[in-house]
Amino acid sequence: QVQLVESGGGLVQAGGSLRLTCAASGAFSTYSMGWFRQAAGKEREFVTGISRSGDNTDYKDSVKGRFTISRDNVKNTMYLQMNSLKPEDTAVYYCARGPKYGISWFSSEYIVWGQGTQVSVSS
């Protein structure tokens, strides 16, 4: 049974940084991974994804240049470094296991999800 556990969320002032961690048990290195977020009253949205090897990444336009996704297939862990945070980044952030090939923006293609971690950015 694959499980994903996020950590690292919290409250930060605008302009600050946070690093989210997603620890996986079970199959990890053979799947792409992604980070999604859901703000209050809004639908869940793709933030960033990374290929199985970590060689390819993709980002939502609004986070490009500020967020960096990475993974360590030895430690079965994925990271999201978030810099220059803005109030509009406030949301619950979820890590999820995606398809084996490519990076998908569609949540329906992610089968395993973590429980989420709250990120709050104050102005």
Side-chain angles (χ1 to χ4, degrees):
Q1 186 76 9
V2 176
Q3 286 188 321
L4 303 175
V5 179
E6 303 98 335
S7 61
L11 174 64
V12 65
Q13 288 188 331
S17 297
L18 284 173
R19 188 193 197 203
L20 304 185
T21 298
C22 174
S25 61
F28 177 78
S29 62
T30 54
Y31 293 89
S32 66
M33 296 291 295
W35 288 98
F36 287 75
R37 67 187 181 187
Q38 188 167 18
K42 296 187 177 181
E43 292 189 356
R44 191 171 299 188
E45 64 176 2
F46 174 85
V47 176
T48 178
I50 188 166
S51 62
R52 297 185 298 175
S53 66
D55 289 345
N56 295 307
T57 58
D58 201 4
Y59 295 89
K60 173 181 174 67
D61 281 349
S62 62
V63 307
K64 284 181 180 178
R66 300 188 298 121
F67 290 12
T68 303
I69 188 172
S70 61
R71 66 189 296 165
D72 184 331
N73 285 343
V74 173
K75 295 182 178 179
N76 276 15
T77 303
M78 177 176 66
Y79 306 96
L80 181 62
Q81 178 66 43
M82 304 186 294
N83 298 328
S84 302
L85 282 161
K86 303 176 180 181
E88 51 263 43
D89 295 318
T90 295
V92 177
Y93 282 71
Y94 299 89
C95 69
R97 195 183 77 178
K100 287 190 174 183
Y101 303 102
I103 300 171
S104 174
W105 284 53
F106 298 101
S107 59
S108 59
E109 297 192 32
Y110 290 75
I111 305 302
V112 182
W113 292 80
Q115 83 287 353
T117 185
Q118 177 71 46
V119 171
S120 299
V121 184
S122 63
S123 58

